[in-house]
Amino acid sequence: MTDDSTTTAFHIEGADRPSRWLITCDHATNRVPDWVGGGDLGIAPADMARHIAYDVGAAGLTRALARRMDAPAILSDFSRLVIDPNRGEDDPTLLMRLYDGTVIPANRDADAAERERRLDRLHRPYHAALAALAARHSARCLCAIHSFTPQLRGRPPRPWQVGILYSHRDARLGPAMVAACRDQGWITGENQPYDGHLDGDSIDRHGLAHGRPNMLIEVRNDLIASPEGQALWAERLAPVIARVLAESGL
């Protein structure tokens, strides 16, 4: 795979950068390939612009952070509503039919053949590329970048600026990253707003299964909706991530 390559499933930037870190962005875009519903999932443009279709601001943060850390990055190139790359192939939420109050018509009647087609053309190529990129460094560490909405419909506001997620099966970096973020004065959730372990997700598949040090960083999406916010949070996060790894001795 050449640097800055583009496929229908993913983008890679800085493949040959020397850092141990690999920065991943599973939910980088709201793009719907034209072979899925003619490029339309049947929901309103306003819904396609919401967090249900992608992680707002995460792609820009991923690119800025990877540049600062001299690390490679891989970003998906399809909406999570088409098929979710951060879910295992047997996960019932792989193809969401209802998400945060919005029905997804193009998924409502998707059969096993359609599910397999999306796996073959999008989900599997993305994970194959991620696996190959991860294997390029013998001491690889994974940092997954996501964003979260400040408030789900009908739910209380979420107070955190940043969430650090990690699995109970690997607490080598997660708790230290939580403490380091709180030391910066950031309102930081520990395994919030989501639980840090999900069987078959990207960290489970490419991190835990190979014993690679890992962390998943969630940033509230209103903080990184603009390029300026993305650059600011990349500048803030990069030295903290580097210090936590250095101090871990891993």
Side-chain angles (χ1 to χ4, degrees):
M1 184 58 60
T2 58
D3 191 37
D4 295 324
S5 61
T6 302
T7 76
T8 58
F10 59 90
H11 298 279
I12 290 174
E13 297 191 1
D16 296 323
R17 291 172 184 160
S19 175
R20 289 179 64 184
W21 286 102
L22 169 58
I23 315 298
T24 69
C25 189
D26 292 333
H27 300 146
T29 179
N30 59 1
R31 189 180 78 87
V32 180
D34 58 10
W35 50 268
V36 177
D40 188 341
L41 295 175
I43 65 177
D47 277 324
M48 285 302 298
R50 291 205 300 134
H51 70 98
I52 65 171
Y54 74 123
D55 282 357
V56 176
L61 175 57
T62 295
R63 291 187 172 100
L65 187 61
R67 287 192 297 269
R68 279 195 165 271
M69 298 179 68
D70 206 13
I74 183 168
L75 304 93
S76 67
D77 193 25
F78 53 94
S79 172
R80 67 191 299 172
L81 294 181
V82 175
I83 192 164
D84 194 332
N86 197 35
R87 297 292 183 272
E89 292 193 14
D90 59 352
D91 192 297
T93 64
L94 185 68
L95 265 67
M96 292 291 284
R97 290 166 168 81
L98 174 69
Y99 194 179
D100 195 22
T102 297
V103 173
I104 318 301
N107 293 348
R108 185 172 47 201
D109 300 319
D111 59 12
E114 176 61 15
R115 176 181 173 279
E116 191 68 16
R117 183 170 74 131
R118 298 186 197 181
L119 281 168
D120 274 344
R121 295 188 66 171
L122 299 170
H123 192 281
R124 289 169 182 151
Y126 172 74
H127 282 286
L130 201 167
L133 197 55
R136 291 182 66 159
H137 197 300
S138 61
R140 182 67 81 198
C141 304
L142 299 184
C143 178
I145 297 297
H146 292 257
S147 71
F148 64 95
T149 184
Q151 185 172 13
L152 293 169
R153 288 178 174 174
R155 303 284 185 88
R158 291 162 157 176
W160 312 285
Q161 294 170 289
V162 176
I164 305 300
L165 277 56
Y166 61 91
S167 172
H168 61 278
R169 290 170 46 199
D170 185 359
R172 291 176 294 173
L173 293 182
M177 186 65 183
V178 172
C181 290
R182 289 175 176 168
D183 285 347
Q184 297 296 311
W186 307 332
I187 303 170
T188 304
E190 183 169 11
N191 282 331
Q192 291 173 308
Y194 307 108
D195 184 72
H197 183 82
L198 180 64
D199 287 337
D201 72 359
S202 289
I203 288 290
D204 185 33
R205 181 170 178 171
H206 301 286
L208 300 179
H210 298 272
R212 293 178 178 127
N214 62 85
M215 65 175 70
L216 189 155
I217 301 175
E218 295 263 4
V219 181
R220 204 177 67 217
N221 66 24
D222 60 315
L223 301 177
I224 54 170
S226 69
E228 293 78 13
Q230 295 155 17
L232 174 63
W233 278 94
E235 181 181 2
R236 288 173 170 175
L237 285 165
V240 178
I241 294 169
R243 185 170 69 251
V244 166
L245 179 60
E247 291 176 355
S248 74
L250 293 170

